[in-house]
Amino acid sequence: QVQLVESGGGLVQAGGSLRVSCAASGRTFGSYVMGWFRQAPGNEREFVAAISRSGSSTYYADSVKGRFTISRDNAKNTVYLQMNSLKPEDTAVYYCHAAITTVQAMSGLGDYWGQGTQVTVSS
């Protein structure tokens, strides 16, 4: 079992930066590929970024490539999403996701989700 708790969301102006974090419980954090998804009102949940177990490989949606950076600290059981050059269309609830494989992590087919943290970007 893995429990995921996101934090760090908030209100930021367009062009600004924000870092959201996801703390995981349990000793097996390093066994999971971690991902971030987001869901805006009226939209489906969409993939944002994923990171391999060791952190050596990262994957991004085209819409955030070059602006967002995913990272992880396995000693702290935490995955981060650094968001720069934020746009109003980045406004959404951001969810942390844990999966066994990269395909699962990028497809949202893993077993574990956090409760989400709201990110609002004002224009």
Side-chain angles (χ1 to χ4, degrees):
Q1 278 282 32
V2 176
Q3 291 186 328
L4 305 173
V5 179
E6 300 95 336
S7 62
L11 174 64
V12 63
Q13 290 188 332
S17 298
L18 201 63
R19 187 177 81 161
V20 291
S21 303
C22 172
S25 65
R27 302 180 184 178
T28 59
F29 177 73
S31 301
Y32 291 93
V33 181
M34 298 300 298
W36 285 97
F37 283 70
R38 67 185 181 185
Q39 187 168 19
N43 291 356
E44 293 187 354
R45 193 171 297 188
E46 65 174 3
F47 168 74
V48 175
I51 188 166
S52 63
R53 296 175 188 81
S54 66
S56 60
S57 298
T58 56
Y59 313 87
Y60 296 96
D62 288 343
S63 59
V64 306
K65 202 170 292 184
R67 299 188 298 122
F68 290 12
T69 302
I70 187 171
S71 61
R72 68 189 294 164
D73 186 338
N74 286 347
K76 295 183 178 180
N77 283 9
T78 302
V79 60
Y80 306 95
L81 185 68
Q82 176 68 44
M83 303 180 287
N84 299 329
S85 302
L86 282 161
K87 306 174 181 180
E89 51 263 43
D90 294 318
T91 296
V93 177
Y94 283 72
Y95 296 91
C96 182
H97 180 50
I100 299 298
T101 69
T102 302
V103 170
Q104 288 176 343
M106 296 178 69
S107 303
L109 296 177
D111 291 331
Y112 304 107
W113 291 91
Q115 83 289 349
T117 186
Q118 177 70 48
V119 172
T120 303
V121 184
S122 64
S123 57

